[in-house]
Amino acid sequence: MNKNDDNKIQLFEDKKVRIQWDDKQEKWWLSVVDVVAILIDSDYQTARKYWKNLKNRLLKEGSVIQLVTNCYQLRMQSSDGKYYNTDVGDTEQMLRLIQSIPSKKAEPFKLWLARVGNERLDEIADPELAIDRAFETYLKKGYSENWINQRIKSMEVRKGLTDEFKRAGIKTNQQYATLTDIITHEWSGINTREYKILKGLKKENLRDHMTNTELILNMLAEAATTDFSKVKNPIGMDETIKVAKQGGSVAKAARKEYELQSGKDVVSPLNALDLKSKEENENLQLALDDD
């Protein structure tokens, strides 16, 4: 599926799936019936009946997808142009749904899930495999090796930061997100959501779309926060927030000095892939000029 606007009908092969972007939770919601119709290769009304029966079976199994979709609906536009409350699920729930439907169209997804699950078990036994796979994945996406090395280093820095947060008594995902947002805002001048909007992102990882300079300054902010936390030994959210602001301010000073010396803004809509493509085009043009 391709992402267009926040609320659009997306094409899956030659079939249509209604989706809606949730800005607060930063996830896509997909119409369950639309996905079922594709998997069973049938019309909408048949898919509705199939989904109704499947929900009853999943309820007996105690499936999470039943509990969620039973209480979570969104108003989506139907083929008659009117809006109706529609059962929706996120990506994880759709993958669970695919496993519950015997279908030739679902089989490739099931095989993929089995392979991914096996790879994850391998990585638990040998964490170095995860790094190797991450490197290969970034290469396939078109990132430069220099950027990939920086990105992998940033993962190490981030892990050190979250370990220090955990020691300080930070527990919930919301607390981690708040602290990340504070560090980001302190060094870049904008919060994480604004940063994503600037780069045209939704669910994608912000760091995966940072330029080398952005990535380095973000690492500096997180590494400084980690170091300050080890020295100041904060306990609880309020004290950790103060340390997060101090760590971010170190990278802020570096950013301002860089911008003063270079005359360029660090924070921009560009990402590493944009820059690599631009560099390759410039090199190609130089080669053509030489000829």
Side-chain angles (χ1 to χ4, degrees), residues 132-166:
D132 293 340
R133 287 197 178 105
F135 196 96
E136 289 301 319
T137 298
Y138 283 124
L139 273 179
K140 289 177 181 178
K141 287 184 176 182
Y143 290 97
S144 69
E145 290 192 9
N146 179 52
W147 183 93
I148 297 172
N149 287 326
Q150 295 283 6
R151 182 68 180 95
I152 291 176
K153 181 63 179 178
S154 76
M155 295 177 189
E156 178 186 338
V157 171
R158 178 67 182 178
K159 179 62 168 58
L161 176 65
T162 55
D163 286 348
E164 187 57 26
F165 282 165
K166 186 183 298 184

Side-chain angles (χ1 to χ4, degrees), residues 12-235:
F12 185 95
E13 296 178 343
D14 59 338
K15 301 294 180 67
K16 297 177 180 179
V17 176
R18 289 167 294 169
I19 68 170
Q20 189 163 314
W21 173 252
D22 186 330
D23 190 53
K24 292 184 178 179
Q25 298 189 57
E26 294 192 345
K27 63 169 63 176
W28 290 104
W29 294 106
L30 296 84
S31 166
V32 177
V33 175
D34 291 353
V35 174
V36 170
I38 291 172
L39 293 176
I40 66 173
D41 197 18
S42 188
D43 59 76
Y44 183 79
Q45 292 302 325
T46 302
R48 282 186 62 188
K49 294 178 182 178
Y50 188 99
W51 171 231
K52 181 179 179 180
N53 293 330
L54 181 59
K55 280 201 294 186
N56 292 331
R57 177 166 68 82
L58 292 174
L59 177 60
K60 293 178 182 179
E61 295 176 359
S63 172
V64 174
I65 188 171
Q66 155 62 23
L67 299 177
V68 174
T69 55
N70 191 45
C71 63
Y72 199 89
Q73 294 184 326
L74 291 174
R75 290 182 66 79
M76 288 184 162
Q77 189 173 25
S78 186
S79 58
D80 61 6
K82 297 180 180 179
Y83 287 80
Y84 301 96
N85 287 333
T86 304
D87 283 347
V88 295
D90 61 16
T91 305
E92 180 179 355
Q93 291 155 5
M94 288 301 100
L95 291 173
R96 172 64 182 89
L97 174 66
I98 287 169
Q99 295 177 68
S100 303
I101 296 179
S103 163
K104 290 182 178 179
K105 290 194 173 184
E107 194 60 27
F109 290 98
K110 294 178 182 179
L111 292 173
W112 174 76
L113 286 170
R115 185 175 71 252
V116 170
N118 183 64
E119 289 176 353
R120 185 70 184 97
L121 291 173
D122 289 343
E123 290 167 4
I124 292 174
D126 183 3
E128 189 174 333
L129 290 175
I131 298 174
D132 293 340
R133 287 197 178 105
F135 196 96
E136 289 301 319
T137 298
Y138 283 124
L139 273 179
K140 289 177 181 178
K141 287 184 176 182
Y143 290 97
S144 69
E145 290 192 9
N146 179 52
W147 183 93
I148 297 172
N149 287 326
Q150 295 283 6
R151 182 68 180 95
I152 291 176
K153 181 63 179 178
S154 76
M155 295 177 189
E156 178 186 338
V157 171
R158 178 67 182 178
K159 179 62 168 58
L161 176 65
T162 55
D163 286 348
E164 187 57 26
F165 282 165
K166 186 183 298 184
R167 183 211 56 77
I170 305 305
K171 298 179 180 179
T172 69
N173 290 336
Q174 183 57 49
Q175 287 177 316
Y176 280 96
T178 297
L179 290 168
T180 299
D181 205 42
I182 289 171
I183 294 172
T184 301
H185 186 274
E186 191 65 29
W187 81 259
S188 70
I190 55 177
N191 62 38
T192 306
R193 179 168 294 181
E194 291 169 338
Y195 214 146
K196 283 190 170 186
I197 291 173
L198 177 67
K199 289 186 178 290
L201 309 177
K202 291 191 182 298
K203 189 175 175 63
E204 300 94 330
N205 188 301
L206 177 59
R207 294 176 185 82
D208 282 353
H209 293 264
M210 287 182 172
T211 64
N212 274 340
T213 307
E214 289 173 309
L215 200 56
I216 290 169
L217 287 173
N218 192 69
M219 277 195 291
L220 174 60
E222 293 189 335
T225 301
T226 303
D227 291 342
F228 292 162
S229 181
K230 290 178 179 179
V231 172
K232 297 177 181 294
N233 194 32
I235 301 297

